[in-house]
Amino acid sequence: MTTTLVTGGLGFVGRYLVRRLAADGHRVISYNRDFSESDDPSVVAVQGELYDVPRLLRTLQEYEVERIAHTAAMSHPELSIDLPITTFTANVEGTLHVLEAARLAGVRRVVNFSSECAYGDQETHLVQEEGAHLLPNTPYGVTKVATELMGRIYGRLYGVDVISLRITEVYGPGNPMPEVLREMIAAAVHGRPFRLDEGGEHRFQFVHAEDVARAAQAALEVGDHGRAVYNITGGRQVTLREAAALVEKILGKADLAIGPGHIPTLDRQGPYDITAARDELGYVPQQSLEAGIASYADWLRDRRY
């Protein structure tokens, strides 16, 4: 049994990862700024801030943590446009504090949650590979590039093996943040119209939160690996109009209307290559978009998100 600290264990994807690790027999330390308790004997809830390095360090030492999954962040690119300082402080300084605590405690594996936003706009006709030049378009995207680079430094200088996961558009039960697929599904489930003036041709690579947790666990557990950054997606790219058509096909008649063109505040990218994640981490997405939409619709029938 290993002990893993999950920052943001109460967050959207953090909850999935905590449950997954605990179900596999691991002890999990869920580290959050808010107080919480756990009914699962495998999960220990610890209240603390990322900026409190002494608290982080004591937690790592007290529970003999062997590895860290760093999921805590300000996690929306569009919100970061209004909150650049808050986003930078939470994401860059917060990650630095996690890495420094790991160094001081002798933790040798940290999985860092990065994002598709690190790429920014790319050539949409080209396959998106990890070696692409990074051109982030939002404060959020900049912070994710910074955390990846800091991870490389902590690996080279201090021996902390940091694996960053560039994760695409995450969906699934429990996501409180603005997310276009959830909004379409909820509208269809409750018989409400959904309107978007533009964006029908904008491409998304949706990935279910359960698959993201699966990828994070794989990165926590992998031995030798060939790179510091991996693309993580659901394995399929669709336009927003195609996603709307899937929602209508799966859920029946729905009033979804999306205008042409692209969403100007979101990045434009080609289909992602996840070969490295498959070959080196053993990650293969399990949740098809159709199955994910259907199960999420069932969830949203009597829940807000």
Side-chain angles (χ1 to χ4, degrees):
M1 179 180 72
T2 58
T3 300
T4 305
L5 183 137
V6 179
T7 68
L10 292 177
F12 172 38
V13 178
R15 289 177 184 268
Y16 282 81
L17 181 56
V18 168
R19 287 196 298 266
R20 183 175 183 86
L21 292 171
D24 279 357
H26 302 290
R27 184 168 69 160
V28 185
I29 313 303
S30 178
Y31 189 90
N32 303 277
R33 70 186 312 172
D34 297 322
F35 176 80
S36 66
E37 296 178 335
S38 175
D39 295 329
D40 188 331
S42 299
V43 179
V44 178
V46 175
Q47 185 178 16
E49 295 278 4
L50 294 182
Y51 62 73
D52 191 345
V53 176
R55 175 67 165 167
L56 264 172
L57 180 57
R58 286 197 304 270
T59 301
L60 296 176
Q61 293 171 332
E62 177 182 351
Y63 295 102
E64 298 180 336
V65 170
E66 299 160 77
R67 55 197 194 178
I68 298 171
H70 179 40
T71 79
M74 289 285 291
S75 59
H76 201 286
E78 290 178 292
L79 293 181
S80 78
I81 296 172
D82 292 329
L83 299 167
I85 296 175
T86 302
T87 302
F88 188 91
T89 300
N91 293 3
V92 179
E93 294 183 16
T95 301
L96 176 60
H97 298 154
V98 170
L99 295 176
E100 181 64 6
R103 179 180 77 87
L104 295 172
V107 176
R108 289 291 173 254
R109 171 62 54 81
V110 176
V111 174
N112 173 49
F113 274 40
S114 187
S115 168
E116 62 184 346
C117 296
Y119 287 116
D121 286 327
Q122 301 283 334
E123 296 290 342
T124 57
H125 65 283
L126 298 177
V127 173
Q128 191 65 53
E129 297 180 340
E130 286 90 344
H133 186 51
L134 304 181
L135 298 166
N137 287 319
T138 61
Y140 176 77
V142 170
T143 69
K144 290 305 178 180
V145 175
T147 65
E148 291 182 13
L149 294 175
M150 190 60 72
R152 291 177 186 270
I153 292 299
Y154 266 76
R156 184 171 68 85
L157 295 182
Y158 309 122
V160 181
D161 185 7
V162 183
I163 297 177
S164 293
L165 305 180
R166 289 182 187 150
I167 302 163
T168 56
E169 184 85 359
V170 186
Y171 76 101
N175 183 11
M177 301 296 289
E179 203 282 306
V180 66
L181 184 58
R182 182 197 69 208
E183 293 166 7
M184 289 195 297
I185 296 171
V189 164
H190 297 292
R192 300 192 301 260
F194 174 86
R195 299 288 183 268
L196 197 63
D197 292 337
E198 55 190 346
E201 280 69 58
H202 204 99
R203 299 179 184 181
F204 289 82
Q205 293 209 168
F206 298 105
V207 57
H208 196 278
E210 188 61 57
D211 276 331
V212 177
R214 182 177 291 107
Q217 183 175 8
L220 286 167
E221 296 177 351
V222 70
D224 293 336
H225 55 96
R227 61 185 68 207
V229 177
Y230 295 89
N231 289 336
I232 302 297
T233 81
R236 175 181 176 189
Q237 187 179 67
V238 296
T239 66
L240 192 54
R241 185 168 286 117
E242 289 169 338
L246 277 178
V247 172
E248 292 176 345
K249 179 181 178 181
I250 293 166
L251 302 181
K253 186 177 180 180
D255 186 7
L256 311 178
I258 305 173
H262 296 269
I263 301 174
T265 55
L266 297 183
D267 301 325
R268 297 170 64 178
Q269 300 162 353
Y272 275 50
D273 182 0
I274 57 173
T275 303
R278 181 197 65 200
D279 292 348
E280 298 182 23
L281 304 182
Y283 167 72
V284 178
Q286 300 297 307
Q287 185 76 275
S288 71
L289 186 55
E290 289 84 354
I293 289 172
S295 63
Y296 199 7
D298 289 339
W299 174 272
L300 289 171
R301 292 187 196 283
D302 56 2
R303 296 175 180 87
R304 183 179 174 188
Y305 53 80

